[in-house]
Amino acid sequence: MAMNNENLSPQALRTKQDFKKAFTELINEKGYSHVTVTDIVQRAAKLSNDIFITIERIEEKQWSIYLQA
């Protein structure tokens, strides 16, 4: 059963995209037969964490600018 992306929250859609990107990158790096589920989950988690860190830094800068005003 295919899931329709229209029914996904933005966070779920982002997670799905992270898993697809991780899977594709790992296949290109290691080859299909050498990719494990653990590899995919770890890579996807890193992708999500990078996004979170970026957003966190932007929010810190916005608060910093707000507090200086």
Side-chain angles (χ1 to χ4, degrees):
M1 182 171 142
M3 183 176 271
N4 187 346
N5 286 344
E6 294 173 5
N7 299 330
L8 296 176
S9 69
Q11 295 86 1
L13 186 57
R14 198 171 324 123
T15 299
K16 183 176 178 180
Q17 291 168 343
D18 287 345
F19 274 100
K20 283 183 176 182
K21 183 176 180 180
F23 184 59
T24 303
E25 288 176 356
L26 287 163
I27 288 174
N28 289 333
E29 290 172 19
K30 299 171 94 173
Y32 179 82
S33 61
H34 298 289
V35 176
T36 66
V37 172
T38 302
D39 292 334
I40 298 167
V41 171
Q42 288 175 341
R43 178 70 62 95
K46 182 186 180 316
L47 292 170
S48 296
N49 193 37
D50 288 346
I51 292 167
F52 177 76
I53 289 169
T54 301
I55 291 169
E56 189 176 64
R57 287 182 183 151
I58 290 170
E59 288 177 352
E60 286 175 5
K61 287 180 185 177
Q62 289 173 339
W63 275 109
S64 176
I65 291 169
Y66 174 77
L67 293 173
Q68 290 175 358

